[in-house]
Amino acid sequence: MTDTSSGKILAQTEVIAAKGTSAWSLFWEADIFVQFIMLLLVIASIWSWNLILQKIWQFKSLKRSTNAILGDLSKIHSLSKLKDFFNEHPHHVMHHILWAGLSEISEVSHSEESKKNSISLVSQSLESALRWQIHCLQRSTTFLATVGSTAPFIGLLGTVWGIMHSFQSIAMSQNTNLAVVAPGIAEALAATALGLLTAIPAVVAYNRINTFLSEYTQLLEHFVDKVCILYSKEIY
């Protein structure tokens, strides 16, 4: 390698180093459209993490209280005792489900048909309340799914735009040196990296939330079955 070639490579390296390779410098050196893409992804990431942390705190608290309640429910063998028990937990999910079912209880005649209709009505009301409570717990999590599925493509859009901008710079300067090409490509690829960093936590959190809600739904279904059994014992 000649001294002239070595000098050119050294000069190119110094130009790239002068521009900087930190995330902050990549942002400020990027095209205005790429900057907009990066800013959009940062906002989506902050919003996602805020939602993720809220759900972690909410579900941990819910799981702890539910485990404590389920431990006491095994000792309850009458509907009246169940009512008294949940009067001490007025804000729990199970209390809302129980209240919805009991609100449908009316005077039942001694006929078999009336008893069956009453049990069916209470059961339907309990299941409807269960679905509503799960819907409330799942609220806002669709945002995580949206971020997880779109953020990589938004980042890729910024990358494509940035590379196009780099090629335009090459055409205008008539210079294909690394010092001209590398900074623009680095700025463009930063958008893809940011898109992946935004999407991955959102996807992982969304899947974990769905897994928790699926398991929690099964617990609530067992609770609904217990309420129906206790109610059946009371009217028969």
Side-chain angles (χ1 to χ4, degrees):
M1 183 178 289
T2 64
D3 293 339
T4 304
S5 299
S6 299
K8 287 182 178 179
I9 294 174
L10 181 60
Q12 292 169 358
T13 304
E14 289 174 352
V15 171
I16 296 172
K19 285 193 171 184
T21 55
S22 67
W24 190 250
S25 62
L26 288 175
F27 174 79
W28 284 112
E29 292 292 335
D31 179 75
I32 185 66
F33 182 74
V34 179
Q35 288 181 345
F36 171 75
I37 292 293
M38 289 181 174
L39 187 60
L40 182 65
L41 290 171
V42 168
I43 293 173
S45 180
I46 293 173
W47 196 349
S48 296
W49 275 106
N50 180 56
L51 182 60
I52 290 169
L53 294 175
Q54 284 182 1
K55 289 300 180 182
I56 289 175
W57 179 84
Q58 180 186 16
F59 290 164
K60 277 189 175 181
S61 176
L62 185 61
K63 185 176 181 179
R64 184 168 55 250
S65 61
T66 300
N67 287 336
I69 287 175
L70 290 176
D72 294 330
L73 281 181
S74 58
K75 307 170 186 176
I76 298 175
H77 302 291
S78 69
L79 192 60
S80 59
K81 289 184 178 179
L82 189 66
K83 294 178 188 177
D84 294 337
F85 175 77
F86 276 103
N87 285 335
E88 301 174 3
H89 303 83
H91 303 295
H92 197 272
V93 171
M94 290 182 176
H95 175 272
H96 298 308
I97 294 174
L98 177 64
W99 180 86
L102 297 181
S103 65
E104 297 297 330
I105 295 178
S106 57
E107 292 294 328
V108 181
S109 65
H110 295 291
S111 67
E112 188 72 18
E113 188 68 23
S114 176
K115 293 178 180 178
K116 287 182 179 180
N117 289 339
S118 180
I119 294 173
S120 177
L121 183 61
V122 170
S123 176
Q124 291 175 8
S125 180
L126 289 169
E127 291 174 359
S128 177
L130 186 156
R131 289 193 296 270
W132 172 251
Q133 292 300 323
I134 293 298
H135 170 74
C136 291
L137 292 173
Q138 202 173 18
R139 188 177 297 162
S140 303
T141 57
T142 51
F143 174 77
L144 295 177
T146 302
V147 170
S149 60
T150 60
F153 296 103
I154 294 174
L156 184 60
L157 174 62
T159 295
V160 171
W161 184 275
I163 291 175
M164 289 171 56
H165 184 71
S166 296
F167 284 137
Q168 288 175 350
S169 299
I170 293 171
M172 291 175 63
S173 63
Q174 298 295 317
N175 190 345
T176 58
N177 286 341
L178 183 63
V180 176
V181 178
I185 293 178
E187 295 154 10
L189 292 176
T192 295
L194 188 57
L196 293 174
L197 289 174
T198 302
I200 292 172
V203 171
V204 172
Y206 181 75
N207 290 336
R208 289 293 300 163
I209 287 172
N210 281 342
T211 300
F212 172 83
L213 291 177
S214 177
E215 295 172 353
Y216 195 65
T217 299
Q218 294 179 358
L219 291 177
L220 294 181
E221 287 174 348
H222 289 307
F223 172 69
V224 167
D225 291 340
K226 182 178 180 66
V227 175
C228 290
I229 291 171
L230 292 179
Y231 179 62
S232 300
K233 288 181 178 179
E234 186 172 279
I235 64 175
Y236 275 100

